[in-house]
Structure formats: C-alpha cells, structure tokens
Amino acid sequence: MRILEIDFEYFYYPEGVSGLSEFIEYVNANYNTFISLVQFNTEECVFPYLIKEETKQVYINVSNIDKIKEVNANILCRSDYDKKLEQVVKTKCINCVNYLEDLDGDNMKGHREKLSLDGECWAYEEKGNDI
C-alpha cells in the first residue's frame, strides 16, 4: 500500500487524496493551518511492515514539514503481524548471541522494534563456534 512518509513518520493519505501530487496540492491549500492525519505507531514494528491497529489521529502544522515522500508499506493486522514475527524469530533469532528464550514462550516484545518481517535485524550477531 502507498502511504506518506513525512519527516520520518508514516501516515495514511487523508480521505479523498490518493497520491503524492494530490497531497502536495492539499498541503498548499492548507499551508497556514494544521491538517488531520492518521499516523502509524512504529514502536511495535519495523518499516516497511506496519500494524493496522497501531495508529492514532494527529494534527500536523503543515508549515513545519521538511520532507514528504510516498513509500510502499505492508500493513497487517496485529494477529497476522505477530504470526509472521514468530516465524521469523524461530528461524533467524535462534542463531543470534542476543537471543534469550522467554520461559513463557512469548519472546516477541524484545524483537518488535529490531526485527523486520523480512529477517533483517539491526541487533543480530551470529553465534560463534566456541571450542
């Protein structure tokens, strides 16, 4: 899905706006005001994968916007995101020195902000073969 990235934050397009050029027209028409947008919370996921339920309504002062671009994102419901994250943890994280298995079997919290659903993790360090 195409969404907006504004100053390194992610947003749905406003209702009735379907592309970047339309959004720029929308911003220019409302330059001295605040606009209402639905923002994605990225504390529980790693872009380009976003959680549908993790959004909030915000008001942005359009005169303070520095960068606007259109990006592609994969927007999933929380249950689908969690299932996919669990699969990635089982295959990727088991070989990481930073992996600590939760005794309750729910080790997702420590992975949410680090591990992308495509297997990329900024904290990954492969276990060595200690002899």
Side-chain angles (χ1 to χ4, degrees):
M1 169 179 260
R2 296 179 344 200
I3 62 170
L4 289 165
E5 181 183 320
I6 301 173
D7 297 333
F8 308 104
E9 300 287 342
Y10 303 102
F11 303 86
Y12 279 115
Y13 277 104
E15 195 170 317
V17 176
S18 62
L20 190 57
S21 60
E22 285 182 28
F23 182 72
I24 291 171
E25 289 176 20
Y26 179 79
V27 166
N28 287 335
N30 295 286
Y31 187 73
N32 290 319
T33 64
F34 288 82
I35 58 172
S36 175
L37 293 174
V38 177
Q39 179 181 15
F40 287 95
N41 178 357
T42 55
E43 292 178 13
E44 297 272 323
C45 56
V46 177
F47 184 81
Y49 302 94
L50 300 170
I51 300 171
K52 184 178 183 178
E53 296 88 349
E54 291 291 323
T55 60
K56 63 182 176 181
Q57 191 79 29
V58 296
Y59 293 90
I60 296 179
N61 184 342
V62 296
S63 62
N64 290 337
I65 295 174
D66 287 325
K67 291 183 178 184
I68 303 172
K69 67 180 181 178
E70 183 176 80
V71 293
N72 287 315
N74 298 303
I75 301 169
L76 305 167
C77 67
R78 176 171 289 285
S79 62
D80 288 346
Y81 188 93
D82 289 349
K83 286 176 193 170
K84 290 179 186 293
L85 182 61
E86 187 176 344
Q87 291 170 348
V88 175
V89 166
K90 286 179 181 177
T91 58
K92 175 80 175 184
C93 301
I94 198 74
N95 297 317
C96 179
V97 297
N98 298 313
Y99 178 66
L100 298 173
E101 190 171 2
D102 187 331
L103 296 177
D104 294 330
D106 180 17
N107 197 17
M108 297 300 108
K109 188 166 179 67
H111 298 280
R112 289 188 180 284
E113 75 281 357
K114 299 175 196 143
L115 181 61
S116 175
L117 296 184
D118 60 12
E120 295 296 317
C121 178
W122 60 263
Y124 182 79
E125 293 180 51
E126 191 171 355
K127 289 180 183 176
N129 292 334
D130 296 337
I131 297 176

